[in-house]
Amino acid sequence: MDSEILHATSKASHSDVGAMPRLTQVPTSVTLSAEQFEKLYLSPMMHRQSSLNKKLGNPTPLGLGAFVLTATPLACCLMAWRGAGGGGAAFTGVLILFGGLLLVLSSILEFILGNTFSSVVFGHLGAFCLAFGASMTPAFNAAAPYSETTTNTLAGLHSPGFVNTFAFFFLFMGLLMFIYTICATRTNICFVMIFASLILVFCLLAAAYWRLGQEDEKNGNRLTVGAGAALFLATMLGFWLLTAQLLDSVGFPLSLPIGDLSGLWDRRKTR
């Protein structure tokens, strides 16, 4: 009797094993092509992929998301949509705790992965958000000394001395964006257009601040609206690029075109 039970149990266990699905190998790492690497990390692949790229997540969408979600409402504010105004003072917390924090964090993670260009871009944009937000924070006392009472931050932000001085920061940020535009021609058209739009943003803001410093409020406001429109264009391109990266990150069957330029200079050199 016992032998029959053991025999039946043995047959049942063999049938259960046979019913189980076969084990299949799942790849633990993927080697990206130069075009795929550039699309995901916004940096040209200058060397063999690091082992960290296969073990760690991609921080590039984190930085892009921080940029677009900080800059888009700021663009609407500069264009005075729905009565918005104040030069972005309402977004002081967003600039520091969302844009600045996440962009700097993304820069550090890109640095760890060895992506120099995207690390520098996110680091500079993050530092700009922190600096711009800090300038509008009373605790930093950046604008208050320019007011008549030397204690009113809001009045100092609109004083000729402050706007004429701060305009130089915008001007040289525009120069930095010009350098980024040249470097981005090794990545994709979408990234190039984002930086080209940011050149307009910072140059128009510098011009607007100087006009406002000369008490030419009419032209100053027009230039500010133009800067907001250029920034809005840059953020819409950023949303497109962010969507393309996220779709690729989850293996979505739809892939958005971004105008790959990763082999442009290589082809020209070969010719």
Side-chain angles (χ1 to χ4, degrees):
M1 183 68 178
D2 291 340
S3 61
E4 290 179 359
I5 294 174
L6 289 173
H7 181 66
T9 305
S10 176
K11 287 181 65 177
S13 62
H14 282 298
S15 62
D16 290 341
V17 172
M20 292 179 62
R22 288 186 175 183
L23 297 177
T24 57
Q25 290 185 344
V26 177
T28 57
S29 63
V30 178
T31 301
L32 302 174
S33 66
E35 180 179 351
Q36 291 171 327
F37 184 89
E38 170 273 315
K39 186 175 183 179
L40 289 175
Y41 294 96
L42 299 180
S43 293
M45 191 168 67
M46 306 297 295
H47 47 73
R48 294 183 63 184
Q49 295 175 38
S50 169
S51 59
L52 291 176
N53 291 106
K54 302 175 183 179
K55 296 178 181 179
L56 303 180
N58 179 14
T60 309
L62 178 66
L64 270 177
F67 165 70
V68 296
L69 290 176
T70 303
T72 306
L74 182 59
C76 298
C77 174
L78 293 176
M79 291 186 289
W81 285 1
R82 302 291 296 176
F91 300 117
T92 302
V94 176
L95 286 165
I96 296 175
L97 298 177
F98 190 88
L101 179 63
L102 289 183
L103 281 166
V104 170
L105 176 60
S106 302
S107 173
I108 295 172
L109 294 174
E110 295 281 7
F111 175 81
I112 293 173
L113 293 178
N115 301 326
T116 303
F117 182 53
S118 51
S119 174
V120 172
V121 169
F122 289 151
H124 284 158
L125 290 177
F128 172 81
C129 289
L130 293 174
F132 193 49
S135 299
M136 294 184 288
T137 303
F140 284 90
N141 201 34
Y146 290 94
S147 65
E148 293 183 359
T149 62
T150 69
T151 58
N152 190 333
T153 299
L154 183 60
L157 288 171
H158 296 88
S159 65
F162 177 82
V163 294
N164 283 330
T165 304
F166 203 83
F168 286 104
F169 187 34
F170 290 138
L171 180 65
F172 290 105
M173 280 296 296
L175 176 60
L176 185 62
M177 294 303 110
F178 175 73
I179 297 173
Y180 286 166
T181 304
I182 297 174
C183 296
T185 57
R186 286 276 293 165
T187 58
N188 59 71
I189 295 175
C190 193
F191 212 29
V192 171
M193 292 179 65
I194 289 175
F195 289 127
S197 300
L198 290 178
I199 293 174
L200 287 176
V201 172
F202 288 116
C203 290
L204 288 173
L205 281 177
Y209 269 43
W210 277 323
R211 295 316 305 168
L212 292 172
Q214 298 296 319
E215 299 184 355
D216 186 359
E217 187 174 349
K218 181 179 179 180
N219 289 322
N221 290 335
R222 286 178 176 176
L223 290 167
T224 302
V225 171
L231 183 58
F232 190 79
L233 173 61
T235 58
M236 292 302 102
L237 291 168
F239 271 114
W240 178 271
L241 191 55
L242 174 63
T243 305
Q245 288 194 339
L246 291 178
L247 290 178
D248 285 352
S249 69
V250 296
F252 202 79
L254 174 64
S255 182
L256 298 180
I258 58 173
D260 176 60
L261 298 174
S262 58
L264 176 64
W265 294 108
D266 293 337
R267 288 195 295 269
R268 290 185 176 181
K269 185 177 180 181
T270 302
R271 289 177 184 174

